[in-house]
Amino acid sequence: MSDTEDARSEPDAGFRAAVARNLPIVAVSVVVLAALILVLADRWRRGSFIFGCAALLAAVLRLCLPETRVGTLQVRSRGFDVLALGCVGGAIVFLSLSIDPLGTD
């Protein structure tokens, strides 16, 4: 293999590694975007439930994925990240389910 072929294949491999490393945050962002669309469509209870599920998804991904694959979901230690995301997500889901609908969705 020549040097020019090596130079062409390295950025592609680097791009794939960057995409694979950031795939968890992209998945969580898609769920957050769905929640935002629901809130903007005046379905705020459903949107808040989905937003809480996005935080719980982030907690599960942070717990299950190795350090090399977690990407930007890694902020502090694994235990702190999972505990913080799990508590916030659980609280949002609980609140969205416990609020009286008063005739709304």
Side-chain angles (χ1 to χ4, degrees), residues 15-78:
F15 177 73
R16 277 191 236 143
V19 168
R21 187 174 54 251
N22 290 314
L23 198 56
I25 194 69
V26 170
V28 172
S29 298
V30 167
V31 177
V32 168
L33 181 64
L36 180 64
I37 289 170
L38 285 171
V39 169
L40 291 175
D42 205 23
R43 302 286 187 226
W44 61 272
R45 288 184 70 229
R46 292 178 187 163
S48 63
F49 178 79
I50 299 297
F51 185 76
C53 290
L56 291 174
L57 173 65
V60 168
L61 289 173
R62 178 68 175 106
L63 179 66
C64 296
L65 292 175
E67 300 288 329
T68 57
R69 298 278 319 264
V70 76
T72 55
L73 285 178
Q74 179 180 359
V75 177
R76 305 242 187 261
S77 68
R78 180 180 298 217

